[in-house]
Amino acid sequence: MKTIEGSTCGCDDPDHQTALISIDEALRRILRGTQAVSETELVPLAQASGRILAVSVRSLGMVPPFDNAAMDGFAINTAELSGEGPWTLAIGGRVAAGQTPMEKIPSKSAVQIFTGAPVPDGANAVVMQEEVLRTGNSIHLKRRITPGTHIRRAGEDMTAGKIIVPAGRALSSRDIAVCAAAGHAEVSVTRRIRVALVVTGDEVVQQGHVRGAAGIWDVNTPMLAATVNSPDLELASVDVAGDTRAALRAQLNALAQQVDLIVTTGGISVGEEDHVKPALSDLGATIAFSGVALKPGKPVSFGRVKKACWLGLPGNPLSAFVTWQLFGTAVRNALAGQTQSRVRRRNVVLPRALHHRPGRCELRLARLAGFDGSGREVVDFADATHSGRVAQLLEMDGLLFIPADVETLPSGALVEFNPF
């Protein structure tokens, strides 16, 4: 296999690996091998959080739609403040938010106005009520007011027809606020991505069942099911794999007709009891990659079987967790057409030396530990990575990316950190 130039983690160095690809190349192959789901649906704004916007949202009109007061006070025409102050103006009306304004401000007058109310024709400033002295039906100003003071101009936030939220964005409460301000009650989003989970391994026992002497509890299914239980994903099926090649082949064939993504855990090595890849081969699946220069999670694999994508995660729970964080997220984003991804990785500082065995890019569990004297974010980290252990996840906040060729990173070194 050719090495890929420009890898950021160094996993492509031929001195390190000859049969594995880098994290970066695996992500590129996922993008090339995944076609976005084309079906869309309209959903109310209140139900759109976390969904992927399929059609760009444009403003239905100017925002704000008219000149309005930014403060409680008095609308005036500053041109009538002639000579030296102070000035006295009669109160010639009153307008509150939601009320139709008078057609024109009376000459030599001020109109009492409240925040959000439309500015009367002829007025070009709003003076705060705290800056005037009111006596009966008049106000007294001591300071000259600049035209435009405390007026929100029509269209200063949004102009009619302008794209305000681009397609491909995972909608947050901020996006929804903008869509609502633009006059939309609903948005067009990609339909939810249908996912099937298939757990392999005769030793894996579901919680609530009797566990034999050689059995282990199933961690991957509830862990991944919790991850898939999100606004943009639909967990369509959770299955225990058939214990023969023929049974698993029939199982995968049926799922490939029903879902967009099949996620298997375990069974992707080359042993006699590893039936996933042989079953996929029987179905004519295309394998984009099988193995990444990564620790933990080296066996992770990706391909297509019929119309569905397939992501093969390792059986060890921490490996499955880490590889879903990296590659599962990439597949789901590609299927949903998400193009406006938020960059999550950032540089952090090590408080002590970190030791690493060169050979593969390692993703080491780490927790946020405050800031150093220069205001840089500091993380503490596990001393080693154990792919079968999950208890440490409770106290960890993310993963450190340790380059493949690094043996030691000294105290104070900067390293990439990806939060969960």
Side-chain angles (χ1 to χ4, degrees):
M1 179 175 293
K2 294 181 180 180
T3 60
I4 307 298
E5 296 181 358
S7 170
T8 58
C9 70
C11 300
D12 292 319
D13 189 334
D15 293 335
H16 294 149
Q17 305 294 338
T18 58
L20 303 176
I21 64 172
S22 70
I23 293 173
D24 295 337
E25 175 60 15
L27 292 173
R28 285 193 288 268
R29 294 188 188 186
I30 285 173
L31 285 175
R32 290 198 299 264
T34 305
Q35 184 175 357
V37 168
S38 60
E39 296 93 339
T40 63
E41 58 183 349
L42 288 174
V43 298
L45 280 184
Q47 300 173 21
S49 180
R51 303 297 296 271
I52 309 302
L53 189 64
V55 178
S56 296
V57 173
R58 296 177 182 270
S59 177
L60 298 180
M62 292 192 302
V63 179
F66 47 81
D67 292 355
N68 68 90
M71 296 281 183
D72 291 347
F74 295 87
I76 64 171
N77 181 352
T78 59
E80 295 185 342
L81 303 180
S82 58
E84 296 295 326
W87 302 272
T88 299
L89 297 172
I91 299 175
R94 181 182 187 275
V95 59
Q99 290 183 347
T100 301
M102 60 183 61
E103 293 184 1
K104 189 174 180 64
I105 188 171
S107 177
K108 302 292 184 180
S109 296
V111 171
Q112 187 175 16
I113 195 168
F114 297 87
T115 303
V119 176
D121 186 30
N124 66 353
V126 172
V127 56
M128 291 191 298
Q129 61 185 11
E130 294 89 347
E131 293 190 2
V132 305
L133 175 63
R134 180 170 182 172
T135 305
N137 205 35
S138 299
I139 61 168
H140 307 280
L141 289 76
K142 293 183 178 180
R143 182 177 67 85
R144 187 177 295 278
I145 305 301
T146 303
T149 299
H150 301 316
I151 292 179
R152 303 184 186 118
R153 295 299 183 187
E156 70 176 23
D157 192 12
M158 302 179 198
T159 56
K162 181 181 179 180
I163 291 178
I164 52 170
V165 184
R169 189 176 178 93
L171 294 171
S172 67
S173 57
R174 293 171 295 165
D175 300 297
I176 289 169
V178 172
C179 292
H184 291 269
E186 57 188 13
V187 287
S188 177
V189 298
T190 303
R191 70 154 171 80
R192 298 179 74 191
I193 305 305
R194 294 188 285 267
V195 182
L197 298 180
V198 180
V199 59
T200 72
D202 292 340
E203 76 281 12
V204 176
V205 179
Q206 304 299 306
Q207 287 76 9
H209 292 73
V210 176
R211 185 179 66 173
I216 59 171
W217 296 124
D218 177 13
V219 175
N220 290 335
T221 301
M223 175 181 70
L224 293 171
T227 299
V228 171
N229 185 22
S230 61
D232 60 325
L233 299 179
E234 174 190 349
L235 184 56
S237 175
V238 179
D239 297 290
V240 176
D243 59 3
T244 67
R245 177 171 174 171
L248 184 55
R249 178 175 63 242
Q251 198 171 17
L252 293 175
N253 184 51
L255 290 173
Q257 320 293 330
Q258 303 166 14
V259 301
D260 306 299
L261 172 62
I262 300 171
V263 180
T264 61
T265 62
I268 53 175
S269 295
V270 293
E272 292 182 5
E273 297 299 320
D274 294 315
H275 301 305
V276 175
K277 289 178 184 176
L280 288 168
S281 178
D282 293 344
L283 296 173
T286 301
I287 307 300
F289 63 82
S290 182
V292 176
L294 168 70
K295 178 182 180 181
K298 181 175 72 172
V300 63
S301 305
F302 172 76
R304 292 193 65 88
V305 51
K306 301 188 182 301
K307 295 182 179 180
C309 289
W310 165 68
L311 181 64
L313 304 181
N316 283 317
L318 185 60
S319 295
F321 179 83
V322 168
T323 48
W324 174 265
Q325 291 279 318
L326 277 178
F327 306 116
T329 300
V331 176
R332 73 188 285 182
N333 290 349
L335 282 169
Q338 182 175 350
T339 58
Q340 303 290 322
S341 297
R342 181 167 60 93
V343 176
R344 293 176 56 80
R345 290 194 212 176
R346 59 184 187 265
N347 287 327
V348 295
V349 177
L350 301 180
R352 55 192 173 90
L354 182 151
H355 302 287
H356 165 248
R357 180 180 177 182
R360 284 182 280 158
C361 182
E362 182 180 350
L363 272 64
R364 183 87 57 93
L365 289 172
R367 61 176 169 268
L368 298 174
F371 298 87
D372 67 9
S374 299
R376 300 177 302 175
E377 199 166 20
V378 177
V379 297
D380 199 2
F381 51 87
D383 290 325
T385 296
H386 302 281
S387 59
R389 300 181 186 177
V390 295
Q392 277 187 306
L393 283 174
L394 285 174
E395 57 189 40
M396 298 298 177
D397 299 303
L399 300 164
L400 292 179
F401 280 69
I402 307 171
D405 58 353
V406 164
E407 186 170 359
T408 300
L409 289 170
S411 174
L414 286 173
V415 64
E416 277 192 309
F417 173 74
N418 192 89
F420 293 145

